[in-house]
Amino acid sequence: MPPAIEEDWSDSDEEAGSDVETAVLLGFPDGSVKAESDLKDAAVSRIGGYPAFLPSREPSISSSQCKNCSYPMELLAQIWCPFEDSPHDRALYVWACSRSTCQRKIGSVRAWRGLRFNAEYAAKLEKKRSRNKSQVKVAPPAGNPPSANPFSMKAAAAPSPFGLGDHIFGEVPLTTITPPPQEEVADTVNDNDDDRDSDASSASEHSLITAMATTTLEESPWTAAPSYQPMYLSTSSEYLPPAAKSKPSSDIRVEDPADNDDKKTKDTTWAFEGYENSLEVDHVFDRFTKRVSYAGEQCLRYELGGVPLPFSSDKVFESIFPAPPQAPLPVTKPDFKVVHTPKRSYSSASIPSCPVCKSSRVFECQIMPNLINVLKSSNKDDSAQKPLTDEQRIKAVQEALKKGGDNASDKRDMEWGTCMIFSCEKDCCLAEEGAKDAKECWREEVVLVQWDE
């Protein structure tokens, strides 16, 4: 998030640095989905369209029903996002109601995650764990610290969570493998080659088979649900301009947890942002617009276990960025002192825990307001490409006259500023009774919506 001190000051106006890469992945629309195989592939992230389910049993249409009007909602996005070192394929689904009477009401935006056990990848994970047990960490020579930066290694190894077969926040351990016996060298090399080939190729045959939706929507109630035109969802890292040097007053101390760490990661400047506890100006909205302005076309922000970017100072903001306790103000003149404006810090304590495994939920991603514009334009473009026939036009007029053009419940538009999704931190796949692991599951997660004022 933006730096706490925003005054521009620099020793040299000519000084310029390269952009700062953050831990956030941004999602952008990337053209209409035309291929039938992509529409059925759960590993293809998308905006709009119909869902491609991972579980072999098609979830009930009630998963997409608005909790206010009980009508099926449109799919906003489907995101392919398996957890690191998890044997399960994983996808996240987000629906939202566009009826005007349901706006600003709880239950008009819902999110679910689908999991399915991937037997072949589970076997490869077990192989890796077995090999890691034989690895020995070699201490660096005295006086010669390692030149490799663990953060850069982690960044280089961390693929996009939306790529087929990739995992989030992958990390290469700083270890040296103990040389195996000669007869085992060939097997080890083959295993390593297989892993590299599998990880590097996001379109491998087996991955496509395991990720492909096992259920089709033919002759399904899902085909009768409303939908937007499907578009590909592509991702890229977020880059922000470097923070300008600041010269705070001598009597003011700016505390940043990042300053207490000698290791300067590529995104520490933005990682521990505090929010001013002031109601005079909506600093939260100002910071939101400033942060988003660097990539205005973004429709999604993904940072598993990260910090959400709040839209405005509302009740949702108060719950996840609670005001810190303050010392009582002095009442006598001799005790007069300057009280600095307190800073707010992110806390997920108010987010309900997972009802199945009882683990905490962590922030995973948030839908951005530009998605509303993208969905609107995609439908307009489609209607222009596919003009209505005379029969369809007559039917549309008859339906409009029957319902009444001024019926507020028929007006469709979304008004949210951002929708934040919080998921089970253990990504549990337990049976309903919570007793044992299941091969696949379908779980609803928590969505906090900040509405556009």
Side-chain angles (χ1 to χ4, degrees):
M1 294 186 179
I5 301 299
E6 298 182 359
E7 292 83 5
D8 292 333
W9 177 84
S10 175
D11 288 326
S12 173
D13 293 337
E14 297 178 355
E15 182 178 353
S18 59
D19 288 347
V20 179
E21 181 182 358
T22 75
V24 179
L25 287 173
L26 302 180
F28 301 92
D30 195 16
S32 299
V33 182
K34 301 295 185 182
E36 189 68 21
S37 59
D38 287 345
L39 292 173
K40 294 181 178 180
D41 190 349
V44 175
S45 297
R46 69 202 65 185
I47 294 171
Y50 290 109
F53 295 113
L54 272 175
S56 58
R57 294 178 56 187
E58 179 182 293
S60 170
I61 189 69
S62 62
S63 300
S64 70
Q65 287 180 339
C66 174
K67 293 186 177 181
N68 301 287
C69 67
S70 298
Y71 280 93
M73 302 182 288
E74 294 90 345
L75 180 71
L76 293 185
Q78 175 176 333
I79 309 162
W80 174 251
C81 47
F83 275 19
E84 179 187 9
D85 292 335
S86 170
H88 289 91
D89 294 325
R90 182 177 186 271
L92 193 66
Y93 307 78
V94 185
W95 283 275
C97 186
S98 60
R99 290 173 173 261
S100 60
T101 54
C102 298
Q103 303 305 297
R104 305 180 183 279
K105 294 181 180 179
I106 297 176
S108 61
V109 182
R110 302 176 68 180
W112 294 73
R113 60 180 170 94
L115 299 179
R116 185 186 177 196
F117 185 74
N118 187 326
E120 179 168 325
Y121 192 76
K124 289 189 176 183
L125 284 178
E126 188 59 33
K127 269 187 178 181
K128 289 182 179 180
R129 293 190 184 102
S130 298
R131 287 201 300 269
N132 288 340
K133 290 181 181 179
S134 64
Q135 293 175 350
V136 179
K137 190 169 184 179
V138 179
N144 295 315
S147 59
N149 183 344
F151 294 101
S152 63
M153 290 186 69
K154 180 174 181 179
S160 164
F162 304 94
L164 183 58
D166 289 344
H167 290 268
I168 304 171
F169 307 123
E171 181 172 5
V172 179
L174 296 176
T175 56
T176 300
I177 300 178
T178 302
Q182 187 65 32
E183 60 271 13
E184 296 181 9
V185 171
D187 293 337
T188 303
V189 171
N190 290 335
D191 287 342
N192 290 336
D193 289 342
D194 291 342
D195 290 340
R196 283 196 297 268
D197 292 341
S198 175
D199 292 339
S201 175
S202 63
S204 65
E205 180 178 357
H206 180 78
S207 295
L208 281 174
I209 293 174
T210 57
M212 187 74 73
T214 56
T215 60
T216 62
L217 298 182
E218 298 176 1
E219 300 180 0
S220 165
W222 288 96
T223 58
S227 68
Y228 299 107
Q229 295 303 313
M231 303 181 69
Y232 289 106
L233 178 64
S234 63
T235 60
S236 66
S237 298
E238 180 187 45
Y239 291 91
L240 301 173
K245 291 184 178 180
S246 302
K247 181 184 287 185
S249 302
S250 58
D251 60 341
I252 299 178
R253 180 184 179 189
V254 181
E255 296 185 356
D256 189 334
D259 295 337
N260 297 328
D261 190 354
D262 293 333
K263 300 176 181 178
K264 296 299 182 180
T265 66
K266 61 182 179 181
D267 58 349
T268 50
T269 307
W270 309 88
F272 300 97
E273 177 64 19
Y275 285 89
E276 296 181 10
N277 187 21
S278 172
L279 298 180
E280 295 179 1
V281 178
D282 195 344
H283 299 285
V284 178
F285 181 73
D286 289 344
R287 295 179 188 224
F288 179 91
T289 55
K290 180 178 180 180
R291 182 73 175 263
V292 174
S293 66
Y294 299 121
E297 296 182 356
Q298 61 185 271
C299 295
L300 173 80
R301 298 177 64 85
Y302 192 101
E303 186 185 8
L304 180 64
V307 178
L309 180 64
F311 178 75
S312 61
S313 300
D314 59 2
K315 291 182 179 179
V316 171
F317 172 76
E318 293 285 342
S319 66
I320 59 178
F321 288 89
Q326 302 182 41
L329 296 175
V331 295
T332 59
K333 290 183 177 180
D335 293 331
F336 175 79
K337 63 179 181 180
V338 175
V339 179
H340 298 290
T341 303
K343 299 288 184 180
R344 296 172 180 264
S345 298
Y346 169 68
S347 172
S348 61
S350 62
I351 307 299
S353 59
C354 175
V356 180
C357 71
K358 312 304 178 184
S359 299
S360 299
R361 281 188 170 102
V362 296
F363 172 74
E364 182 168 2
C365 65
Q366 65 187 104
I367 306 296
M368 303 301 285
N370 185 50
L371 182 61
I372 298 177
N373 300 325
V374 171
L375 293 173
K376 285 181 180 179
S377 61
S378 67
N379 274 8
K380 289 179 181 179
D381 293 341
D382 183 75
S383 62
Q385 296 173 2
K386 298 180 179 179
L388 296 177
T389 64
D390 291 340
E391 182 180 353
Q392 290 173 328
R393 190 176 294 106
I394 293 173
K395 184 178 180 180
V397 172
Q398 289 174 342
E399 291 179 352
L401 291 175
K402 183 187 300 184
K403 296 179 180 179
D406 57 349
N407 190 343
S409 64
D410 293 331
K411 297 178 180 178
R412 310 185 74 83
D413 196 8
M414 293 176 289
E415 303 176 3
W416 39 262
T418 189
C419 308
M420 310 173 188
I421 293 94
F422 299 82
S423 305
C424 172
E425 66 177 353
K426 292 186 177 179
D427 199 33
C428 68
C429 191
L430 302 176
E432 291 294 340
E433 64 275 9
K436 59 181 180 179
D437 290 342
K439 294 295 183 182
E440 57 187 37
C441 67
W442 182 250
R443 296 283 184 267
E444 185 167 14
E445 297 294 8
V446 172
V447 181
L448 295 185
V449 182
Q450 290 190 285
W451 300 97
D452 189 8
E453 298 298 337

